[in-house]
Amino acid sequence: MKTITLLSLICLAGALPAGAPAQTIASPSGDLTLVFGLSGEGEPVYSLDYKGKRIVDRSRLGLRGDERDFTSGFEILSVDTLGVDRTWQPVWGEYAEIRDNFREMAVGLRASAPEREMTLRFRLFDDGLGFRYEFPRQKEGSYLTLKDEATEFNFTGDHTLFCIPGDYDTDEYLWSETTFSTLPEAMNGYRTHSEAQRTGGNTIQTPMLLKTADPVYVNVHEAALVNYPAMLLDVDTDGHAMKAHLVPDRLGVAGYMQYPFQTPWRTLIVSDDARDILSSQLILNLNEPCAIEDTSWIKPMKFMGVWWEMFTGHQKTWAYSDDYLAKPGITDYTALTPNGRHPANTDNVKRYIDFAAAHGIEGVLVEGWNEGWEDWASYRKNRQFLFDKAYPDFDVEGLHEYARSKGVKLIMHHETAANAADYALQLDRAFQFMKDNGYDAVKTGYVGAIIPRSEHHTSQWMVDHVLDVAKRAADYQIMVDSHEAPRPTGLCRTWPNWLAQESARGGEFESMGGNPPSHTALLPFTRLKGGPMDYTPGLFETRLSYYNEGKDSQAGTTLARQLALYLTMPSPMQMACDLPENYERFPDAFRFIEDVPVDWRDSRYLEAEPARYITVARQDKHSDDWYVGAITDDKARTALIDFSFLPEGRQYEATVYEDAPDADWKDNPQAYRIRKVKVDSGTRLSQYLAPGGGAAMRVVPLP
Amino acid sequence: MKTITLLSLICLAGALPAGAPAQTIASPSGDLTLVFGLSGEGEPVYSLDYKGKRIVDRSRLGLRGDERDFTSGFEILSVDTLGVDRTWQPVWGEYAEIRDNFREMAVGLRASAPEREMTLRFRLFDDGLGFRYEFPRQKEGSYLTLKDEATEFNFTGDHTLFCIPGDYDTDEYLWSETTFSTLPEAMNGYRTHSEAQRTGGNTIQTPMLLKTADPVYVNVHEAALVNYPAMLLDVDTDGHAMKAHLVPDRLGVAGYMQYPFQTPWRTLIVSDDARDILSSQLILNLNEPCAIEDTSWIKPMKFMGVWWEMFTGHQKTWAYSDDYLAKPGITDYTALTPNGRHPANTDNVKRYIDFAAAHGIEGVLVEGWNEGWEDWASYRKNRQFLFDKAYPDFDVEGLHEYARSKGVKLIMHHETAANAADYALQLDRAFQFMKDNGYDAVKTGYVGAIIPRSEHHTSQWMVDHVLDVAKRAADYQIMVDSHEAPRPTGLCRTWPNWLAQESARGGEFESMGGNPPSHTALLPFTRLKGGPMDYTPGLFETRLSYYNEGKDSQAGTTLARQLALYLTMPSPMQMACDLPENYERFPDAFRFIEDVPVDWRDSRYLEAEPARYITVARQDKHSDDWYVGAITDDKARTALIDFSFLPEGRQYEATVYEDAPDADWKDNPQAYRIRKVKVDSGTRLSQYLAPGGGAAMRVVPLP
């Protein structure tokens, strides 16, 4: 199905001056209406209504640079509208086919003295709005030293906000559920992260979620962030307004732009049904089609990792030795005294390979395999790591052969200590080293303050860098899982080898203060709208005291919930994060992780409320099996699973992995049950979820 | 010959406190004496005498960082002295064998509260002093955020100074001949360079030259600049003193140091005979030995270049098209309208190859061969050039084949527009592209303001970058000629594939204001002490009006002087910079360029006075031929050439390329004569040099 309708193309005889009649478009269903106009001063302004209710009140638009101001003095030159209804097939994802159905209005604007031209392109979908600024070549000047984006989102009341504090360098925060009026208090409650660069004040990150009293839900984010800094939002708590805040470099410049250019899309996903926020593919739709011709080598996968050992109380380390002065000076690591607590050793990796091979897990990630971890000195060293130099106890060639013999793929870890400049210098040889040794996927890391020292994690240069890395990886047919990179904006549509990112507080924090159950009930409404997250589910041993009596922290989850996360936190690169020995303690539960796919033909969000609960059903892309996941927050809940998504008249057997009646994330997390139940399209199943709990189901057609 | 003598090793029973007796060492000949001690406050201080005269008065030493201060509170822990006399063979250079003969004193210092340790290592040669700071691991703390180096050079009078203004980004200035007292006036006389970052005030660059009234000559510079910022000098004009001024990054940090580390050597080349400054190999001696095992692929060479055409009045351009908006957006250069003034086209390059092949010139450089010159936007673009994408009119494969068939090597140009960060990302593929297409040498360029935007051309990160490029080039067996890179400090000893650098105002400025004759009579005393310069001699048509009537600038040289520069400006990568058609006008003079070698067995400086005159004789490394070059400033001069360097009893024929009696750089630059004269070791030849002129001789043994 592909329909493109030229709705109208207004070649205005004369330009429409400031104060001219507003231009209006409606979404295909008519639910959303956008009005665009110019203020008396020629400022571009817009407003957005949903089902007759004002969502975004009159809000200004524009950009400011050192050389030119694009915020006022405009007249309307042209208004082009277009209707598009088409479908496309992602390489992987929640859906085998995605519908891209929108009405577009492109408003050509011109200002004089000096002459400036800018086009505002709006795309109105049934699930929301995307708009961007497009700058053609200007009559004078080639460049814009970008300082500020004037984009406003003026909301209409003291809505609920789900957000994290504004930061130029990290997204790894717990989420606040607050309102405009209580935002300052919420922001003051955050401790400053050691590697963070907090903006301070009432600035928050995108993606964020807003909920009105009605309720209407609005996700605010951006799509196709390329050659531009990431966007934060300055919140006016009295005016219930937000304004774009571009991440500057450390010299104070937001972007070095050259005409012609376009900004990323500013996105609002809007619905009165929270499930629509989850199912929305608006951000992917606003990204460019796949740029990789042959995608046959891109293979979604589950993986385990020599990783959690370093987070637990085992005192295991990424470093091979305890001599923290090992660099610089020491070049012969064989001369160092090994600390005996270095899990990235050949024997241990073989143990993971064996386990993965026995259980159908495709990949094994190994962290701490290369020299340089002894002395962590992000920002201070122009070189911390080489990416082709393994520790003496990590046999690259031997493990290559061993993994191949077992049919398992090793996944390489490239922790750059945030030295993106040096990573660039090493990139080709690093990727060649990977291919020479059988690695098809890399987890990149940027922990610390960025080098080049002029940059932040989310400033324009770094946005370019991480995309350059993904593109270069594609040249080598390497899949990428980026950690500490700018939050995703749907670029995985264009570069589907970019399987996943971190860019939020992930499962690793279960060992560093913990994630409350509500955290994973919110992330799909916020962070995940940009793209899949390598959250690292699958934690079976949730009590850190199990590893170390001195540690009393505990993951905010039951064991059954961890299984449900494979459905509620979909990712084509999905970890089984726990230790093999912990999985061996619960082989019947681990069976679900073995079975669950990571790529889907269809997805149905059955129940959803942000930070409260999510129930989703997904169909395996390669079989007729369905899977269901349901999670709640820290309160027990009965999920109602309506199986009407099943084809009529066909019988299925559901294997249900559920919290035991006495399960509780805090006191009894490992109490689960497995039962089988017959279901068909008429089944309505009430499913108990313990506090912090969840349920996972495999639903297989009966013969 | 290799002698290493342990002169003494004082293991002090107790430390020597501040005010303890000074430590003294003398150079092997005894001409230089260094005294080291501690002030009453425990500040390390030194002084230097030459033949009984004080050259450097009591001057402080030390480093300051955010975490620690290493400038005072010290006591002496140990004093180790050592005598070394050895020789080594450079891969190429002015001498086939270099003597490294010095006395060393290493003073171990300790301060307390907090405890700090530092060693000052002095090496006293007969031609000067080198000293550096060495920092072992400290009891507390691993890092030093370097802010300032306290090193002083307190001179003893209002000496003459030959210097250029302090600048973090360029060395391409004309030189001032001034004094301490008139320095402010001289510095104020400089216009600010468009791409420069002037320090302002009385800050000057190294290498600089100082001349006392006696006279004694002193060259101040540094050796082995690695992982440290370049050094400038803050001048106290009243106190006749200089103090180290480290180039900071744009965030104000001079260096990110980790213990253990050492600074570059601070060098003073000292003599009462100006010729000794020229013959000094002190800076090479202070560098590490060659780090490349197989150096057989490193081949000194002469080369021509598609280059001067762009500087003359021809209006030729590096760019293929005049559409300066060609990037971004335009990716198909074949769709652009060529401007017809793009010399880097296949036919023209073949013309250069033909000429080079016919005249025994090994290489042909081509500038403007790759896409991206239309829109020069240094600092603004995260990508300006690709290094594997040729313009449509430059046939990479065809030229590879053509050059090979003619026995000529093409030299690639990598102009980065100062985007070192992006160059790093492209480096491996750029070098692989070179090797795939038969290129063995690259001229790199960093015109503009540096990206990473935190950096200057000579800040620590860039110092690392250019060395990384040279090392990576060595991996590919590629020779490097760096332009706009940090001034050299003898690193070509360690990385002899790094044949040459620019890092001064080169011959290209003959088309941009001109270089006075004194310029090339001074550079060998200053800039060249760090390493060979790609000055680009060989200019036969010196009047820019020849190319374009509207241009009245003129090179400060006669034609004969240009031949002499091949001797007075020695480089293993030596250009014949003029157009083939100009060489065809003067085939008898061009014969000298054909004949002159670029690698030497021996060199004898016969006459020298900075900015006035230089006469040098050099023996070809691969034959018994000698060559003589003599230049003067803008005054006529008669050079006295004492041929006693020739072996006794053997007859030679000298072919003399000299200024005609009526030659003059300004009014009659192309008036030259060629004559032959018989010479032997007893010959004393008076050789006339015209104003701005010179003479070049090939001296061949008679059968």
Side-chain angles (χ1 to χ4, degrees), chain B residues 540-541 559 582-591 670 672:
Chain B
F540 279 15
E541 184 46 73
L559 190 154
N582 287 338
Y583 289 142
E584 280 161 356
R585 292 161 56 203
F586 307 97
D588 56 349
F590 189 69
R591 177 64 193 267
Q670 288 166 341
Y672 64 89

Side-chain angles (χ1 to χ4, degrees), chain B residues 84-115:
Chain B
V84 169
D85 190 358
R86 57 193 169 195
T87 56
W88 57 280
Q89 291 77 38
V91 175
W92 46 258
E94 295 183 72
Y95 302 89
E97 194 162 82
I98 293 174
R99 185 174 178 188
D100 185 20
N101 181 21
F102 60 84
R103 298 287 181 274
E104 177 176 290
M105 175 166 69
V107 184
L109 298 171
R110 185 176 60 195
S112 55
E115 187 165 320

Side-chain angles (χ1 to χ4, degrees), chain B residues 166-344:
Chain B
D167 196 307
Y168 297 153
D169 284 285
T170 184
D171 312 87
E172 300 184 22
Y173 288 102
L174 284 177
W175 290 74
S176 288
E177 181 174 344
T178 180
T179 62
F180 279 102
S181 54
T182 58
L183 183 70
E185 197 180 331
M187 294 297 104
N188 285 336
Y190 283 91
R191 284 191 308 144
T192 292
H193 223 271
S194 63
E195 287 144 6
Q197 183 72 33
R198 285 277 301 280
T199 54
N202 295 319
T203 301
I204 61 176
Q205 311 269 76
T206 76
M208 64 80 60
L209 185 76
L210 179 143
K211 181 183 175 185
T212 72
D214 302 314
V216 174
Y217 304 87
V218 183
N219 174 295
V220 185
H221 191 34
E222 57 184 316
L225 172 59
V226 175
N227 190 27
Y228 201 82
M231 178 178 71
L232 286 70
L233 298 167
D234 288 334
V235 181
D236 169 2
T237 55
D238 295 330
H240 309 138
M242 301 183 185
K243 184 194 153 294
H245 173 133
L246 301 179
V247 175
D249 66 16
R250 287 185 192 268
L251 307 173
V253 175
Y256 301 85
M257 314 309 297
Q258 179 173 14
Y259 309 110
F261 73 89
Q262 64 210 19
T263 69
W265 296 93
R266 279 59 188 93
T267 60
L268 299 169
I269 306 173
V270 183
S271 181
D272 53 8
D273 184 335
R275 299 176 303 178
D276 294 343
I277 306 295
L278 298 178
S279 62
S280 171
Q281 300 296 298
L282 181 146
I283 287 177
L284 288 181
N285 276 328
L286 288 169
N287 272 273
E288 296 299 313
C290 179
I292 301 173
E293 203 160 337
D294 169 18
T295 58
S296 61
W297 53 274
I298 300 173
K299 294 191 188 343
M301 69 172 116
K302 285 172 287 190
F303 68 104
M304 299 185 65
V306 176
W307 172 81
W308 184 243
E309 297 187 51
M310 288 83 109
F311 285 95
T312 64
H314 276 122
Q315 304 295 332
K316 301 268 179 88
T317 62
W318 280 266
Y320 164 76
S321 167
D322 285 349
D323 182 1
Y324 81 100
L325 295 170
K327 279 205 171 181
I330 302 297
T331 51
D332 179 10
Y333 273 71
T334 60
L336 283 186
T337 310
N339 62 16
R341 294 175 287 104
H342 177 237

Side-chain angles (χ1 to χ4, degrees), chain A residues 431-442:
Chain A
F431 285 160
Q432 191 57 55
F433 180 79
M434 283 179 61
K435 296 311 282 193
D436 291 345
N437 292 290
Y439 291 77
D440 295 335
V442 65

